[in-house]
């Protein structure tokens, strides 16, 4: 090739170019597949329950399929197979609560709509052969329209949306089938039993084999959100007020500074978990009537707190330069750091109390300290060397921090309320099973006194 | 009864009590039904499209049912009826985008999984009669587990979640059916065509009869959220700074003060609408590739703005007393009112620009004014009669307002970006179809100069 005449240069240039472009597209595909593999691996490593869930779905489906495959071969009922398989695929969800919600909705809606469909058939039959199909059409129209409209009611949407769909589905199927009523009863019976078997299989798998409880997920999500907020405050206290203002270290992109954003966006997740948790039986430390709604309240207050943090974060990055030039006054800097770390400790204590399912103890003390220092900051401001601009910046900073302390107090109140509603016990009580009125109980009182 | 002897007093007391309790429970039921009726009426009046949607669902279902009812009677194919009806019930959603998403996912997943299922059948047949069911079981297990796991990938979850379910469903059904391959091909063909007919019917209804476009909903939601923020600012400017501080009017519960909360909670809705909007064809003023993602960006910035408003709102209610006692300095009060009303006007202009699909014009001017006044407030603060506490409060108030102006500017930038991406036109251009470089164009430049 090197000896090729000069005139074929262009051609010789094209071939390597072509080879190169083929190679590079292979490399691109390789890169993409590698990236996809990394994504999948990360999903699996981040939460191994995802892998377990996938295997569970495969297992349930295979068991039901094989069972019915064998049965269908012997009895020749190719069609009845279908409903059990279909039910398993459609009903199985990641959390036990979601599976229970869909399963129960499906069974009950199938039962009710089946009965109503049979009734509609009988009623329509009174109108003679010609009128029957017209009447059935009218019934289907009215029922579908009414049930569809009812799905716009928020309560129905939250608890019975899937049931409403299955209700319309079953009613229409029963109504439009060309069978006589006698055949239909047998068919309905058959269908209901296969649906019930499918649902039972899903529920059994989702509850008995490595269950993922929506309630527990909600519990952990709320606790970890409080932890995220705590680490924001502790990070700001330590890395910003204690170090950064000395060393001019660049904090941009620090992970603790952006964690609150995930808290701001967690409402939809919390709502859906709370909806599903209501369908779950008691599990672990959670009773059947565990106050799941209170978690939503805590979540809402945590988001309010995260909002204040966003304001603080915005203020910090907008005024970074100014503070560096002005040289933050030492006593104010320390006070701000204390406010941050104390309210951070309070939030961390709330998170750990939720996790351990015990009433929070040290929170009130930490928040009391933060508030006390906060009111002192106001008095500190005007030192002799302070310029007007400085005063303004300090004042805003102090007020933003006080707002965070304030909203952390609201969160603390909601967690105390949760502890009362769910009858959380102190570690000692939980062990002995008896409520003690000495020891820790008293120290709790002292802590509460500090708060008032 | 009045003449009854005294001894029967108790009995005579019981009967009215019983009557009363029956009556009261009837009244309670009556009240509940009345409340439910009111809820339904409100749902219908608030958005008549809900009623239309319900009627549409009823209509589609009736047409498909009757069509198949008649066909089933003549051809005896009781079972094929089912798939069309089932598809209509399951695929029809409120917005056209959601219906298209489910419909296309269903058809394509059915096609792919059907073909793969047939292939699996042929492959398993090679293993002989005994090995066949074992091999098919293994295939079902592997495929169900893998596809279920893939649903944890966020991109797949957002765009192909329903398709994944249908894929597992169809593959399992084809695999476990006890039919021979020759019969299966006929069955698969039949099933695919009924599913396709059902999907076509849903799509036709959702696009042709009073369509509710997810894209348009998103467009309007984002615009109305900006309006809500604007009315908060205008309300605070007028009712708080201009009037309340004079008249001590009670603002608690004022609707403009809590509107921002709905903005904070609109993320989930925006995300799902944007997901569905991608499936919609061009409609009205929206092209097929309308930049729906940019709306999510605007929405996120609007929520950031709403966060700052929450801080301001918290500050206002926490310091209400202090400001009343201190008597807000007149020039600062006016300045704050101007900042509020100017940034409110800017947000209202952004909302109206989005609605009219034209580039925002007056925004930069309003925001420039607000920022200018904001920087002046800082100089105003120290008047001779001002106490330290006053200075602190003023400073914080001014900084909170400046933060709102700042975040409104971010929203404005994102809207300008949207206008560029979606090629929004000025009213005159839209009319003449030609880009003019005089008149309004120049005044826009002037406005932008004010901003810098």
């Amino acid at each position: 090739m090197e000896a090729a005449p000069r005139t074929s240069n262009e051609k010789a240039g094209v071939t390597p170019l072509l080879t190169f472009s083929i190679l590079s597209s292979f490399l691109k595909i390789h890169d993409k597949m590698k990236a996809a593999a990394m994504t999948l691996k990360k999903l699996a490593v981040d939460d191994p329950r995802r892998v377990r869930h996938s295997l569970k779905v495969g297992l349930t489906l295979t068991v039901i399929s094989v069972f019915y495959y064998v049965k269908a071969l012997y009895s020749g009922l190719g069609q009845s197979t279908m409903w059990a398989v279909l039910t398993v695929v459609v009903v199985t969800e990641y959390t036990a609560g979601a599976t229970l919600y869909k399963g129960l909705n499906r069974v009950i809606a199938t039962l009710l709509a089946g009965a109503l469909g049979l009734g509609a058939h009988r009623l329509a039959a009174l109108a003679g052969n010609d009128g029957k199909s017209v009447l059935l059409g009218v019934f289907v129209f009215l029922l579908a329209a009414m049930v569809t409209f009812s799905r716009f009611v928020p309560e129905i949407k939250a608890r019975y949306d899937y049931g409403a769909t299955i209700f319309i589905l079953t009613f229409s199927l029963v109504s439009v089938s060309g069978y006589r009523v006698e055949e239909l009863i047998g068919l309905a019976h058959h269908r209901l039993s296969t649906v019930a078997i499918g649902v039972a299989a899903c529920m059994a798998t989702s509850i008995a084999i490595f269950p993922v409880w929506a309630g527990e997920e909600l519990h952990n999500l709320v606790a970890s959100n409080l932890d995220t907020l705590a680490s924001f405050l502790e990070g700001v206290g330590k890395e910003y007020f204690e170090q950064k203002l000395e060393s001019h270290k660049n904090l941009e992109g620090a992970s603790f500074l952006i964690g609150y954003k995930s808290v701001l966006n967690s409402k939809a997740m919390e709502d859906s978990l709370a909806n599903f948790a209501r369908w779950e039986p008691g599990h672990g430390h959670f009773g059947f009537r565990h106050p799941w709604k209170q978690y939503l309240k805590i979540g809402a207050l945590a988001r309010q707190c995260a909002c204040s943090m966003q304001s603080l974060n915005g203020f910090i990055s907008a005024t970074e330069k100014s503070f560096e030039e002005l040289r933050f006054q030492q006593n104010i800097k320390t006070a701000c750091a204390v406010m941050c770390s104390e309210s951070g400790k309070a939030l961390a204590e709330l998170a750990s109390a939720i996790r351990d399912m015990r009433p929070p103890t040290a929170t009130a003390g930490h928040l009391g300290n933060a508030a006390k220092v906060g009111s002192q900051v106001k008095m500190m401001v005007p030192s002799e060397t302070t310029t007007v601009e400085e005063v303004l910046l300090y004042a805003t900073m102090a007020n933003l921090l006080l707002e965070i302390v304030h909203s952390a107090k609201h969160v603390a109140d909601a967690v105390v309320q949760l502890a009362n509603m769910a009858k959380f016990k102190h570690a000692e009580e939980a062990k002995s099973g008896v409520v003690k009125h000495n020891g820790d109980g008293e120290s709790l009182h002292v802590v509460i006194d500090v708060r008032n």
Side-chain angles (χ1 to χ4, degrees), chain A:
Chain A
M1 275 296 222
E2 277 166 29
R6 286 216 145 204
T7 45
S8 76
N9 239 2
E10 279 186 13
K11 249 194 170 172
V14 169
T15 322
L17 255 179
L18 198 70
T19 322
F20 177 76
S21 78
I22 290 172
L23 255 177
S24 80
S25 47
F26 264 114
L27 281 176
K28 261 183 207 160
I29 292 171
H30 178 255
D31 283 354
K32 275 202 175 172
M33 288 183 67
K34 211 174 159 185
M38 291 295 286
T39 310
L40 292 176
K41 198 184 161 192
K42 192 172 178 307
L43 281 172
V45 172
D46 282 356
D47 195 346
R49 295 178 306 171
R50 290 173 179 148
V51 180
R52 284 207 292 258
H53 170 71
S54 308
L55 296 178
K56 266 163 64 180
V57 173
L59 189 72
T60 320
L61 199 55
T62 312
V63 170
I64 281 280
S65 303
V66 170
F67 176 70
Y68 269 93
Y69 182 73
V70 173
K71 205 184 153 203
L73 278 182
Y74 284 99
S75 67
L77 281 169
Q79 290 297 336
S80 70
T81 318
M82 211 183 60
W83 289 109
V85 173
L86 199 148
T87 302
V88 168
V89 175
V90 176
V91 165
T92 312
E93 293 280 336
Y94 183 53
T95 59
T99 309
L100 286 166
Y101 152 71
K102 281 187 122 178
L104 292 175
N105 263 278
R106 191 174 183 103
V107 169
I108 293 168
T110 304
L111 188 67
L112 290 180
L116 203 66
L118 286 179
H121 246 283
R122 272 195 204 279
L123 198 66
L126 297 177
N129 253 347
D130 290 340
K132 192 178 170 187
S133 53
V134 175
L135 256 189
L136 282 176
V138 172
F139 288 157
V140 167
F141 175 79
L142 286 179
L143 193 119
M146 285 191 309
V147 177
T148 302
F149 188 71
S150 79
R151 290 173 67 186
F152 287 109
V153 179
E155 289 79 20
I156 292 181
K157 182 96 195 154
R159 306 193 71 164
Y160 308 111
D161 194 52
Y162 187 63
T165 310
I166 297 299
F167 190 85
I168 300 178
L169 178 65
T170 308
F171 183 82
S172 314
L173 287 185
V174 172
S175 301
V176 304
S177 73
Y179 295 101
R180 276 171 299 128
V181 174
E182 291 72 39
E183 290 172 322
L184 264 183
I185 291 178
L187 196 78
H189 176 244
H190 209 99
R191 182 170 170 202
L192 187 65
S193 64
T194 40
V195 165
I197 288 174
V199 167
C202 298
M203 286 190 185
T205 332
S206 72
I207 291 179
I209 309 176
F210 297 118
V212 178
W213 300 106
E216 205 175 328
E217 292 286 287
L218 176 62
H219 182 87
N220 293 337
L221 176 63
V222 168
S224 83
N225 277 351
L226 293 184
D227 262 338
T228 308
L229 299 186
S231 65
F232 171 89
L233 288 175
E234 284 169 1
V236 169
K238 200 156 191 156
E239 315 238 335
Y240 182 77
F241 287 115
E242 284 181 18
Q243 297 174 2
K244 150 94 186 176
L245 293 176
E246 298 287 317
S247 63
H248 296 208
K249 203 174 78 181
N250 191 2
L251 285 183
E252 218 167 289
S255 69
F256 71 83
L257 273 181
I258 48 170
Y260 68 82
K261 286 188 183 169
S262 71
V263 178
L264 283 176
N265 291 336
S266 63
K267 182 178 190 309
M269 185 59 129
E270 285 172 13
D271 283 351
S272 95
L273 286 176
N275 261 337
F276 295 141
R278 290 195 286 199
W279 294 88
E280 293 175 345
H283 54 276
H285 299 286
F286 307 103
F288 174 58
R289 293 214 167 276
H290 195 74
W292 301 118
K293 276 202 169 172
Q294 184 66 17
Y295 288 92
L296 297 184
K297 209 169 156 190
I298 298 173
L301 292 166
R303 274 190 295 283
Q304 216 160 319
C305 197
C307 251
S308 313
M309 290 179 188
Q310 180 154 295
S311 298
L312 179 67
N313 193 26
F315 185 73
I316 283 180
S317 50
T319 55
E320 208 159 12
K321 268 269 161 59
S322 323
F323 275 121
E324 274 171 19
E325 280 162 16
L326 294 171
R327 293 195 39 74
F328 221 110
Q329 213 173 296
Q330 185 60 44
N331 55 350
I332 295 179
K333 204 162 69 184
T334 312
C336 287
V338 169
M339 280 171 85
C340 277
S341 76
E342 286 290 311
S343 43
K345 275 179 199 158
L347 286 171
E349 155 69 6
L350 291 174
S352 120
I354 291 180
R355 272 212 193 82
D356 302 345
M357 302 193 82
R358 58 173 176 76
T361 46
T363 321
H366 289 306
L367 287 178
N369 291 346
K372 206 167 127 199
V373 173
S375 56
Q376 286 165 355
V377 166
K378 290 191 176 175
M379 305 300 112
M380 287 178 197
V381 170
S383 92
E384 58 279 3
T385 59
T386 319
T387 67
V388 176
E389 205 184 344
E390 267 176 284
V391 175
L392 298 185
L393 289 175
Y394 293 156
T396 308
M397 182 69 92
N399 271 312
L400 286 173
L401 285 173
L402 272 175
E403 201 190 303
I404 291 177
V405 174
H406 194 69
S407 55
K409 203 182 155 300
H410 285 303
V411 177
D413 292 345
V415 174
V416 168
Q417 222 176 332
L418 172 70
N420 287 335
M421 290 163 90
K423 303 199 176 58
F424 284 177
K425 282 175 185 148
H426 288 286
E428 293 71 27
E429 294 170 38
K431 265 184 209 155
S432 65
V434 183
V435 181
K436 281 184 192 173
H437 281 286
N438 55 352
D440 253 25
E442 267 178 49
S443 77
L444 178 69
H445 271 287
V446 175
V447 167
I448 287 174
D449 285 345
V450 170
R451 178 195 200 170
N452 294 329

